[in-house]
Amino acid sequence: QVQLVESGGGSVQPGGSLTLSCTASTYALTVGWFRQAPGKEREGVAVITKEGRTNYAHSVKGRFTISQDNAKKTHYLQINSLNLEDTGMYYCAATLRWLTLSLYDNDFEYWGQGTQVTVSA
């Protein structure tokens, strides 16, 4: 069992930056960040394995950076150059089953409650 708690969301202007945090109750093999925009399906944006391997959705490459502090069991998502399309609920997810670079939400069995990111002028 893994409990995940996200933080760091907020309201920002286009072009701004945010860093989201996800603190886990135990070590996971892989942690991913997903987002769901209003009226859209949830999509995976970034994933990091316990060894530090990463994968990003094509739409966020170059703007999003996923990282972690294993000692703190905390995972981060740095978001730069925010635009209106980045608005949505951001979720942290974890799996204890495997090391994976998948951005498919069915590959993760534990989910946080989410943190809202709103980008507006």
Side-chain angles (χ1 to χ4, degrees), residues 5-12 17-23 31-35 45 64-68 74-80 82 86 88-92 114-118:
V5 179
E6 304 100 329
S7 62
S11 296
V12 295
S17 298
L18 277 176
T19 299
L20 308 182
S21 299
C22 169
T23 300
V31 170
W33 283 96
F34 294 76
R35 69 181 179 186
V45 294
F64 287 27
T65 302
I66 190 170
S67 62
Q68 62 192 2
T74 300
H75 311 269
Y76 306 97
L77 185 69
Q78 171 76 34
I79 309 173
N80 296 324
L82 280 154
D86 293 321
M89 187 70 78
Y90 283 69
Y91 298 92
C92 176
T115 185
Q116 177 68 36
V117 172
T118 301

Side-chain angles (χ1 to χ4, degrees), residues 11-112:
S11 296
V12 295
Q13 292 185 337
S17 298
L18 277 176
T19 299
L20 308 182
S21 299
C22 169
T23 300
S25 59
T26 189
Y27 294 102
L29 291 182
T30 304
V31 170
W33 283 96
F34 294 76
R35 69 181 179 186
Q36 187 164 22
K40 294 188 177 181
E41 291 190 358
R42 188 166 57 191
E43 62 170 339
V45 294
V47 62
I48 187 165
T49 69
K50 191 175 181 181
E51 310 144 312
R53 296 175 64 207
T54 60
N55 188 30
Y56 296 90
H58 180 74
S59 60
V60 306
K61 272 185 181 178
R63 293 194 302 120
F64 287 27
T65 302
I66 190 170
S67 62
Q68 62 192 2
D69 183 333
N70 283 332
K72 295 181 179 179
K73 297 192 286 289
T74 300
H75 311 269
Y76 306 97
L77 185 69
Q78 171 76 34
I79 309 173
N80 296 324
S81 303
L82 280 154
N83 57 58
L84 300 179
E85 288 71 37
D86 293 321
T87 293
M89 187 70 78
Y90 283 69
Y91 298 92
C92 176
T95 179
L96 301 181
R97 292 181 293 181
W98 44 50
L99 297 167
T100 179
L101 294 178
S102 168
L103 293 170
Y104 184 46
D105 55 6
N106 275 6
D107 287 333
F108 296 82
E109 62 268 28
Y110 300 103
W111 291 81

